[in-house]
Amino acid sequence: MVTVGALVGVALVALGLVLTPGPNMVYLVSRSVTQGRRAGLVSLLGVAVGFLVYLAAAVAGIATVFVLVPALYVAVKLAGAAYLLWLAWRTLRPGGRSAFTPAPLPPDRPRRLFTMGLVTNLLNPKIAILYVSLLPQFIDPARGHVAVQSLLLGLTQISIALTVNALIVLTAGSVSAFLTRRPAWARAQRYVMGSVLAGLAIRIAADRSRAAVATP
């Protein structure tokens, strides 16, 4: 039903997005560095639930809305591209900060850590862009029900995102200390992340495909 090419494409996009600085990465790194790995992992559980909420919306047929209102689909894609370009500029501009420069956060209990991880992901425009603008590009109605394709592709994205984020949580302290001692590496990390964000923005803006729904 889903081609290997589509799975690989979603996997690469998911990897590129999870490795670029955004609300999830900044929050998880800051939480892990200031309160420890356990706090970071609890926060990651909240992030995971946020992914499942977006996936449920995609499987429920969110793409149908964009088929019925094509102008809305175009508007969302262009807004997503603009947001990614803004993230790229914020990362690449002179004086920009690496995502591994932690922000000070007060210690919180597990329930609040989970809730903050969930809310951070639900309010993360980058994840909304992934499910609304990017995921539909890998769906082919001719290959079967769109909801099932959305589920398989979404689970692929979630698996990669959670694996990478878990590694980030476990290594955040070491990476942060490494980049602090080596400013050149920190600058290189910023340039790579910013370039990936800009590339994704251009891809979204240039894409001329339409939202897909299953045909009878």
Side-chain angles (χ1 to χ4, degrees), residues 138-170:
F138 296 95
I139 294 174
D140 182 2
R143 299 190 66 85
H145 203 283
V146 167
V148 178
Q149 293 186 58
S150 298
L151 178 63
L152 294 175
L153 295 174
L155 290 175
T156 299
Q157 177 269 325
I158 290 174
S159 298
I160 291 173
L162 294 184
T163 299
V164 173
N165 276 317
L167 292 174
I168 289 174
V169 167
L170 295 175

Side-chain angles (χ1 to χ4, degrees), residues 26-157:
V26 171
Y27 176 71
L28 290 174
V29 168
S30 296
R31 183 59 70 187
S32 301
V33 172
T34 58
Q35 197 174 340
R37 294 175 178 175
R38 182 175 179 275
L41 291 174
V42 173
S43 300
L44 181 57
L45 287 177
V47 171
V49 173
F51 281 129
L52 292 175
V53 170
Y54 275 112
L55 178 57
V59 173
I62 190 174
T64 304
V65 176
F66 298 108
V67 170
L68 297 175
V69 189
L72 179 60
Y73 182 63
V74 174
V76 169
K77 286 205 302 181
L78 293 179
Y83 173 73
L84 291 177
L85 281 176
W86 177 75
L87 283 180
W89 162 244
R90 192 178 66 173
T91 304
L92 294 172
R93 68 180 179 179
R97 294 178 59 185
S98 167
F100 284 92
T101 302
L105 295 173
D108 282 315
R109 295 181 180 276
R111 178 180 295 182
R112 180 169 174 78
L113 293 173
F114 175 89
T115 302
M116 288 299 297
L118 171 63
V119 172
T120 299
N121 202 20
L122 289 178
L123 298 181
N124 184 356
K126 195 168 65 172
I127 305 305
I129 291 166
L130 172 66
Y131 280 91
V132 171
S133 300
L134 286 175
L135 201 63
Q137 297 179 31
F138 296 95
I139 294 174
D140 182 2
R143 299 190 66 85
H145 203 283
V146 167
V148 178
Q149 293 186 58
S150 298
L151 178 63
L152 294 175
L153 295 174
L155 290 175
T156 299
Q157 177 269 325

